Amino acid sequence: MKTGTLVLAVALLAYPFVLYDHFYWDIGVGLLLAAISASAWNIVGGYAGQVSVGHAMFFGIGAYVPLLVFNLWQLPPIAGAPLAVALSLVLAVVIGLPTFRLRGHYFSMATIAVAELIRIFIGTWDFVGAAIGLQGPAVGRGWWDLTFRSELPYYYIFLVVLAVLLYVTRAVEKSRFGYYLRAIKAGERAARSLGVPVQQTKLKALLLSAVFTSIAGSLYSIKTGFIDPESGFGILISVQMVIVAALGGAGTLYGPLVGALILVPAQTATNTWFGGGGSGLTYILYGGIILVLARFEPGGLHELWQRLAPRLRRTPRAA
Amino acid sequence: MLLEADDVTMAFGSFRAVSGASLALDEGEIIGLIGPNGAGKSTFFNCLAGDMVPTGGRIVFAGADMTRASPEAHARAGIGRTFQVPTTFEDMTILENVMVGAFLRHPRRADAHEHARRIVEMTGLKDQAGQRARTLGTPGRKRLEIARVLATGPRLMLLDEALAGLTPAELQQAIALVRQIHATGVTLVIVEHIMEVIMTLTQRVLVFNQGHVIASGKPDAVVKETAVIEAYLGHGRRKRRP
Amino acid sequence: MTGPAARLAAIATACLAVMGAVPALAADTVKIGILWPLTGNAAAAGQASKAAAEVAADIVNDAHPDLGNLPLAKTAGLPNMGGARLELVFVDHQGSPSVAQQQALRLITQEKVDVLFGAYQSSCSFTATAVAERQGIPFMVGESAAANITGRGFKWVFRGTPIASDYAATYMRFFDDMKKRGKTIGSIAVVNENTDYGTSVADAIEAAAKKNGIPVAIRIPYSASSTDVSAQVLQLKEKQPDVVIFISYTADAILYIKTMRNLEYMPPMVIGDDTGFSDPSFIPAVADIAQGVMNRSAWDIGKPGSATYLINEMYKKKTSRDLDDTSARNMQSFFALADALNRAGAKDPEKIRVALSQTDLKPDQLMMGYEGVKFDSTGQNVLAATYLIQLHGKKYDLVWPDRAAEAQLQWPMKGWK
Amino acid sequence: MWGSKDNAGANAMLLLQVIVGGLLLGAIYALFSSGLTLIWGMMNFINFAHGEFVMLGMYVALLVVTWLAGGPATFGVAAAFALFVLGVVVYLSLVRHVMRGPMLAQILSTFGLALLLRYTAFWIFSANFVSLPQTSLSGTVNLGGILMPVAQLVAGLVAVSLTVALHLLLTRTAVGSRLLAVAEDRNAAMLMGIRPDRMQALAWGLSAASAGIAGALMATAYPWSPSVGETFGLTAFVVVALGGFGSVPGALYAGLIIGLIQALSAYWFGPIYKDIVVYGLFAALLWLRPQGLMGKA
């Protein structure tokens, strides 16, 4: 276990030097961003089993506020990130309080609806750039603008955030909070009978998840230097988090990272190979892969691994 | 007086599942609830556990009014329950299942772990502690449910058919376990169809039929009452097991 | 758990390495990286523009002496570069700003393209041009509406197409002209789809109308995915403007015309702002009920035998549709880019950039109705202009300005009557 | 011909026109949403590809019109039949295997299906917008001052009738009670000799067929491209959630209400606010009555 983590850490740290090129760095940045967003989603969607299909609402807030403070007051965008986190927390409470009383698909439905509501609303609100969106500083005025020519600084910034998030998730996993989340996912009624404060625990999970999703959004807009309603609050942003996490294994520490390690390069590769042809083959493949995985590996790659691992380990280590 | 349920009524629309049931329980008692299926004992049981809020009546536990309290508040107050159909956390290990209960009185992980280990040992699940709950059979699950509740440190345990579906040998072990739990000072309410359990374990029995308590008293006396026999043979959908 | 993670990381890395291993380019080609939305909601426009770029590349690469003064048509390849041919590398940015950014980077660092071209949606142009600016590669914006794509202090970004304020000014000049001819233009209505395109153009029109003292009776922003627009048409019916300007995509443009017919509402004049009204699906769907609808277009197929007619024939052969204005403007920007490449005489980015900034194409060298192509210091083409065309029968005829007109303007429009 | 500005009667007519138009569109929402609510209620399964079923119904109509020169009745039936088959196939090959798995797998599988269907249509039909050639449903009728396009009128009325018919099928026929028996308790239904797989396949067929007909009806009035399904899918979710999960009458009322609200808010506040009003209402409803209008608590 320990060695695996170490190998992963070294691989991620060394990656930019193995593939020393702007494009690969950019893919690395995209991969880390997907991993951060999906890991953040994983806290509430994976561990607690509350499947949000509207996490773009936190991502979008995280993405908009930094560029908004830049456009309004010429502040460095990163200064908006804490404000975005605060707003996301408020939103999480507003969403969580009513919907966590409900069971089943209501929470999913509510999150979709609220995210769409915000997307449409932002698209009509001139103050935040309406449909056209907001731009960041075209050229950095100093390092504090975090507008770098190279992708490399972003890569390591994102990597640090991912490391912190995984560390926090690991701590959650080991704590009472983490056990309670898993108990809620397994059965709310039983969890309550054992004294688990279900609503409060779910809300705490949503808050923690919202914080990191918001940070992911801030990282995205600062790096991209642009945000509009679709790339901030679009339903595809939410769905991507779900897919990445579910593919790798929702409710496991490294599941979302594994999902990102597979999905992001696959997306880029299919788009690179087939996108220019313009036949839509990219999405036919993408859709097909998701469908086949869901059909044959409903538990994600994590469970496939759990099945295969014993067989693979029959070699020396077994002794 | 540990628990006092007074005139508890639970109506679903015009249908009264429980109609004015009362129960007074002293610390250290073991009592049984019996009656044919659909007699209202499970509903009454759910009211005691906080899973349902009764439409009428009052439930007081250790001096506090629990009538409208949530299930988790019941657990905190010291009322633990098992479920008729086991609801173990399938993807968590046996030990982790028990730890969820243990966390109630032991917020630190190390303490909860330590406490859960003791409980697992006491309930005879030590050998399977590292397995996922889904690998257990029915007897194992029932046992795990009891262990999980025990870990919350209850003063009162409500067992809902926790001993059904066991082989005679398993049943003897289970009865021994319940006795052991009782010996540690836990008060018990048992819903059970198996008369053997009721007769050997309980000190007092309440008989439910059609939402009413039709008889109560010592087990051997109660089973002889005509009303009880009628309820079982006349209206009951289930055969009496002597 | 970490075991597979590490292993999969290795697989992913290998996967990436394969992707990069694209063979290097042949000696005498100039690579143009083109970013367009080939999937997603704007895919139709991206696909049409892709075909247009391919036709344009053919025209440059092969000798086409019949195409008049169009630069580089007569010769094969780029004469100043020893007949070097243009090689197009298309990518699909899927309408996502971050994919546009990433693919622009790939085109530059992996495909080693010499120039970039694209990107349709303003959102994608914003991010893709920023990459070009950082990497020092010239970027020609073929067609994107948002005003501030140029004017951000970028030196590597050029835009060949007219922008929203140009369109607005054209409409105002047209209204002036009409008033002189005794037509009543008491008020106008602006109906716009509410993404960056519709919003930019409608904002510009509203501002210009205010400046020119033409009251805007009502402005109706709406979502292009609307399935019912009767409420909007009824609002127009209530306000009775003399001219209604629609800034619409395809489905909504057709839906508006059909709904107006159904609700028997016809203002004296309807002007479509290109896009949806220029989509090849528009005419077959509503021609018989939209007679006299005007449309903005700098593109005119022209008389048989003319250069534009021949270009349209080539396009038609490829796609079996007529060339639309959006794709044609992209094509014109492409020609301007090719002209600059030729004048640069080398594949040096700085030389190309200087050549682009010195571009000075005259009207007779163009396929579009611009007054020329000449970039100001922000990279915007200052001579870009547009025609107004009108639906007569099953085709659009050029009706304004008078100097270019080939058919009589009908006012008021006939609609379905 | 324009009516006079200060005529209150004309204003009332306009409002009436808006209301009727909204209700007719709402009827179509109701039809395709009733399909979604049916399987949601029966299997507690969210189908993210439902909007794509509507889209496919539209293309089936186009093919029937261009290849077979079929009229509205023909292409309506053809769309229903084709989508029924697709629904059954999707159930047997995909849904059956993931429905008892984790909820995430359900979401993923139908989301993947949605992408697959959308871009297969894209590949076959290209990204270009298409619309049906003029059919016998063209033209307008004047109903006491209210102008109604024939296509919209017929589509709306057919949609209401079919939604009601679906409800009657579920509540008044033997097949319907079997379907509901499976929804209620799969095992008990099996004991009664009902084969749940058949019934659930039938439900998927009916669900997809209702989307297919709705698509064919929409196609008479609305131009589309392969990406049109996304809008319909989201609308259907809101309708189902508003009406109550699993309730066909709920979907009918909710569809009509949403059509009406959209039309009125577009008329009063402007079209960009119509979705804000609908989603805002939906969010408010989640606070106040989370089980939906007709849902069970």
Side-chain angles (χ1 to χ4, degrees), chain D residues 207-265:
Chain D
S207 165
S210 71
I213 301 188
L217 292 173
M218 295 282 277
T220 57
Y222 183 66
W224 73 94
S225 75
S227 56
V228 77
E230 200 181 331
T231 317
F232 295 144
L234 280 172
T235 308
F237 282 137
V238 177
V239 170
V240 169
L242 188 69
F245 301 94
S247 165
V248 172
L252 180 61
Y253 298 137
L256 293 173
I257 289 171
I258 286 178
L260 189 64
I261 291 172
Q262 281 191 346
L264 286 176
S265 47

Side-chain angles (χ1 to χ4, degrees), chain A residues 188-232:
Chain A
E188 277 188 30
R189 194 162 166 229
R192 297 184 77 173
S193 78
L194 297 175
V196 176
V198 170
Q199 283 190 49
Q200 189 193 327
T201 307
K202 283 187 195 171
L203 191 61
K204 262 162 74 184
L206 184 64
L207 290 173
L208 186 60
S209 176
V211 166
F212 280 97
T213 313
S214 174
I215 291 173
S218 298
L219 293 176
Y220 168 81
S221 71
I222 291 169
K223 189 254 167 189
T224 311
F226 175 80
I227 192 70
D228 65 0
E230 200 54 46
S231 48

Side-chain angles (χ1 to χ4, degrees), chain A:
Chain A
M1 277 300 198
K2 290 275 182 205
T3 49
T5 311
L6 202 67
V7 169
L8 189 70
V10 169
L12 285 172
L13 280 168
Y15 167 84
F17 296 94
V18 176
L19 291 170
Y20 197 84
D21 176 279
H22 286 282
F23 175 55
Y24 293 131
W25 295 344
D26 198 69
I27 296 178
V29 173
L31 192 155
L32 291 175
L33 183 75
I36 294 169
S37 313
S39 298
W41 176 91
N42 192 34
I43 295 171
V44 68
Y47 286 98
Q50 307 299 307
V51 176
S52 159
V53 195
H55 251 48
M57 62 179 118
F58 306 122
F59 186 90
I61 289 176
Y64 261 88
V65 178
L67 297 192
L68 192 63
V69 300
F70 166 72
N71 279 286
L72 288 180
W73 305 301
Q74 306 302 308
L75 290 174
I78 191 72
L83 185 58
V85 166
L87 275 175
S88 294
L89 287 174
V90 172
L91 183 64
V93 172
V94 171
I95 303 292
L97 278 184
T99 50
F100 281 148
R101 287 177 307 183
L102 313 167
R103 293 188 191 172
H105 296 324
Y106 291 98
F107 178 66
S108 306
M109 288 308 310
T111 49
I112 291 185
V114 174
E116 276 296 291
L117 177 66
I118 297 176
R119 181 183 68 82
I120 297 167
F121 180 69
I122 296 287
T124 62
W125 193 17
D126 282 327
F127 181 69
V128 296
I132 296 167
L134 295 172
Q135 290 186 62
V139 182
R141 297 162 298 181
W143 64 268
W144 59 86
D145 266 347
L146 302 182
T147 303
F148 306 114
R149 275 178 173 273
S150 164
E151 287 68 31
L152 206 53
Y154 294 116
Y155 182 88
Y156 286 106
I157 293 173
F158 284 32
L159 191 57
V160 168
V161 173
L162 179 66
V164 170
L165 174 52
L166 290 180
Y167 179 80
V168 169
T169 310
R170 183 88 193 105
V172 166
E173 229 180 23
K174 284 185 173 167
S175 71
R176 172 165 85 164
F177 179 43
Y179 278 79
Y180 277 6
L181 290 180
R182 288 161 68 200
I184 289 169
K185 182 185 187 178
E188 277 188 30
R189 194 162 166 229
R192 297 184 77 173
S193 78
L194 297 175
V196 176
V198 170
Q199 283 190 49
Q200 189 193 327
T201 307
K202 283 187 195 171
L203 191 61
K204 262 162 74 184
L206 184 64
L207 290 173
L208 186 60
S209 176
V211 166
F212 280 97
T213 313
S214 174
I215 291 173
S218 298
L219 293 176
Y220 168 81
S221 71
I222 291 169
K223 189 254 167 189
T224 311
F226 175 80
I227 192 70
D228 65 0
E230 200 54 46
S231 48
F233 295 100
I235 190 164
L236 281 180
I237 307 287
S238 306
V239 171
Q240 171 91 353
M241 293 182 213
V242 183
I243 292 179
V244 167
L247 183 73
T252 62
L253 180 61
Y254 288 108
L257 176 57
V258 171
L261 277 170
I262 292 165
L263 209 65
V264 172
Q267 276 173 341
T268 313
T270 48
N271 187 28
T272 300
W273 289 329
F274 309 113
S279 59
L281 198 58
T282 316
Y283 283 106
I284 296 180
L285 280 174
Y286 184 48
I289 290 169
I290 294 172
L291 190 154
V292 167
L293 270 170
R295 160 76 176 77
F296 295 101
E297 278 308 323
L301 294 167
H302 172 72
E303 269 186 18
L304 177 67
W305 176 251
Q306 299 258 321
R307 266 205 325 275
L308 293 183
R311 275 189 240 167
L312 295 175
R313 284 203 183 123
R314 240 180 290 155
T315 41
R317 253 198 280 171

Side-chain angles (χ1 to χ4, degrees), chain D residues 58-85:
Chain D
M58 297 173 105
Y59 278 104
V60 171
L62 180 73
L63 289 181
V64 171
V65 172
T66 47
W67 287 354
L68 309 172
T74 326
F75 67 63
V77 172
F81 181 73
L83 268 293
F84 183 91
V85 172

Side-chain angles (χ1 to χ4, degrees), chain C residues 376-399:
Chain C
D376 63 12
S377 61
T378 69
Q380 175 60 38
N381 178 10
V382 287
L383 298 178
T386 192
Y387 299 144
L388 294 180
I389 54 181
Q390 190 171 37
L391 187 61
H392 294 153
K394 291 231 173 265
K395 69 186 212 13
Y396 282 115
D397 288 328
L398 209 173
V399 293

